[in-house]
DNA sequence: GGTACATTATTGTAGAACAATCAAGGCAGC
DNA sequence: GCTGCCTTGATTGTTCTACAATAATGTACC
């Protein structure tokens, strides 16, 4: 509700590394850091109130997730994608999102997480109507989280968030990459909800294709 | 040629973190560590002659690659997959390997890395004939590396090795998961070499399906 | 104005130190 | 003998200091 830094949970019960990791992820989602930006270890250590070790461990984690790029003896950078690499990311996202939707639909009948998906869908609509870009990003994250929970595939849960979509969203937040998408999400939602695996996969891949074409126009 | 620890390059010019990372990956491939094994930070630090910091950074990297599992306040473990999670990994491997083969085939015409793939294929046959399980693992890694180089997709290059196949291979090294595979690899090789994208994808996915059924028998 | 050199900023690495947590063994009580 | 608590040891989590190595920047000299 407030403009505050979204302290994930009740208190600072988080470990130091996790604090940095979550902090930077939130910073990216909310535009406080941008692709291409240089991240200096000591600055981050001071900013998050942790030791430099913890920062370095978090950077390894973030690099694995495709959020930052590490080059020896150089400051790490928030990953920045040119058009070519953006399309490469989308090629991977295509098959992975398709897999996600297919499995979510398959496991939907009787899934205990079904309500969460419906809530996430509503949140997506609310955020869309509010024209709040950041709220929409968060809602989208919740939506995918619900899909992943339903899909019941631990390897997919591990790897899907490692796809460079975070960066793509961050680089194109300001663009009009939002109109087309709500209907996309609804199509995915309904196919998954109905348990239509083939339709869900198709909707998911259509969505990625839509994102791709919008990006190609506006790049 | 020798049974030595495969010092990747000429000398110890590697950084400390990388030394631990590559060392543990080699240890896994060569069976010196096995899924389920506990890894103690201080031991590794002594073993590789580096500081504990470097070990912890390497563990973050390895966790991102799906090689170890980190649980707070507990020693990290080499990831171990039960049958269910093995199948989940294979579901992801299915679409990702298919994507890899399709793109490799698409970019094959005129690819400068074409010879490397042929060499890798030969190495695979040699290793198979020699009945050396470890040599076969290395050859298989070279084969996929060549495919990734040809496929020209940086996101795939980043994510594909993060799929938990390392662990699957490690857990089933001793089984007869080897007879069927050489012909699989040859099928992929020939489709890719000919530039037949559809056939390459099909061959790759058939291969994963074969691995799956062999594992399901012998589990 | 450009090249060589000095300076600064930053990362890479090791190590000490201590708190926090978990696992295991031992001891007491029933 | 069994159960449950408690002590103890092993290990991780974390910060700090220190210094070497490297890259980026600025400066003086020609």
């Amino acid at each position: 509700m407030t403009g505050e830094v979204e302290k994930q949970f009740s208190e600072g019960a988080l470990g130091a590394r996790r604090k940095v990791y979550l902090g930077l992820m939130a910073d990216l989602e909310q535009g406080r850091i941008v692709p291409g930006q240089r991240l200096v270890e000591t600055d981050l250590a001071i900013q998050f109130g942790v030791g430099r070790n913890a920062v370095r461990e978090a950077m390894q984690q973030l690099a694995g997730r495709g959020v930052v790029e590490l080059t020896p003896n150089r400051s790490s950078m928030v990953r920045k994608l040119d058009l070519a690499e953006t399309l490469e990311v989308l090629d991977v996202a295509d098959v992975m999102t398709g897999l996600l939707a297919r499995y979510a639909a398959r496991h939907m009948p009787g899934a205990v997480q079904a309500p969460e998906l419906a809530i996430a869908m509503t949140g997506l609509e609310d955020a869309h109507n509010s024209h709040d870009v950041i709220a929409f990003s968060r809602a989208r994250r919740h939506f995918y989280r619900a899909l992943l929970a339903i899909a019941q595939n631990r390897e997919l849960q591990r790897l899907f968030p490692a796809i460079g979509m975070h960066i793509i969203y961050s680089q194109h937040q300001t663009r009009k990459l939002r109109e087309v998408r709500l209907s996309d999400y609804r199509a995915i939602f309904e196919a998954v909800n109905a348990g239509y695996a083939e339709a869900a996969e198709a909707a998911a891949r259509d969505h990625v294709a839509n994102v791709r074409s919008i990006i190609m126009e506006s790049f």
Side-chain angles (χ1 to χ4, degrees), chain A:
Chain A
M1 248 358 146
T2 87
E4 214 198 347
V5 186
E6 185 184 28
K7 288 208 180 95
Q8 294 293 111
F9 303 108
S10 52
E11 215 25 66
L14 299 171
R17 173 182 66 237
R18 194 150 182 73
K19 209 184 299 183
V20 178
Y21 175 82
L22 292 175
L24 285 176
M25 289 297 279
D27 284 353
L28 180 70
E29 182 170 287
Q30 299 175 23
R32 283 190 295 270
I33 60 175
V34 297
Q37 184 168 335
R38 213 164 66 99
L39 299 176
V40 176
E41 291 177 1
T42 46
D43 294 355
L44 296 177
I46 293 168
Q47 178 188 340
F48 290 104
V50 301
R52 195 151 72 91
N53 293 351
V55 172
R56 288 176 62 85
E57 288 178 24
M59 296 315 273
Q60 289 299 325
Q61 226 178 326
L62 289 164
R65 289 263 162 139
V67 174
V68 302
E69 271 181 352
L70 303 181
T71 319
N73 295 310
R74 209 151 304 150
S75 297
S76 49
M77 277 185 36
V78 181
R79 186 150 78 127
K80 187 172 189 174
L81 301 170
D82 57 20
L83 179 55
E85 194 166 2
T86 300
L87 297 179
E88 292 167 15
V89 171
L90 287 172
D91 285 337
V92 175
D94 180 46
V95 297
M96 290 288 270
T97 310
L99 182 69
L100 170 62
R102 174 150 41 99
Y103 276 70
R106 180 181 301 174
H107 290 140
M108 191 56 175
V112 291
Q113 306 93 339
E116 286 185 41
L117 184 64
I119 292 171
M121 186 68 230
T122 306
L124 218 36
E125 286 164 357
D126 292 349
H128 183 264
N129 293 333
S130 76
H131 294 274
D132 180 345
V133 188
I134 292 173
F136 192 78
S137 288
R138 187 168 43 228
R140 180 183 52 227
R141 185 159 42 86
H142 292 338
F143 184 74
Y144 280 113
R145 185 193 297 164
L147 283 178
L148 281 166
I150 294 169
Q152 295 270 32
N153 182 315
R154 282 161 285 186
E155 191 72 351
L156 195 58
Q157 286 167 5
R158 198 175 69 80
L159 287 177
F160 190 87
I163 304 172
M165 295 304 296
H166 308 282
I167 302 299
I168 292 184
Y169 292 138
S170 171
Q171 284 188 207
H172 297 84
Q173 222 176 26
T174 57
R175 323 257 174 176
K176 59 183 173 180
L177 180 70
R178 208 165 75 259
E179 296 308 318
V180 182
R181 286 224 305 263
L182 188 60
S183 56
D184 283 8
Y185 290 126
R186 167 157 287 145
I188 295 171
F189 170 70
E190 286 176 1
V192 168
N193 227 19
Y196 297 150
E198 295 301 317
E201 175 173 354
R205 300 184 72 155
D206 279 353
H207 166 56
V208 176
N210 285 338
V211 172
R212 181 186 281 114
S213 57
I214 292 175
I215 285 176
M216 286 182 74
E217 285 174 19
S218 70
F219 220 102

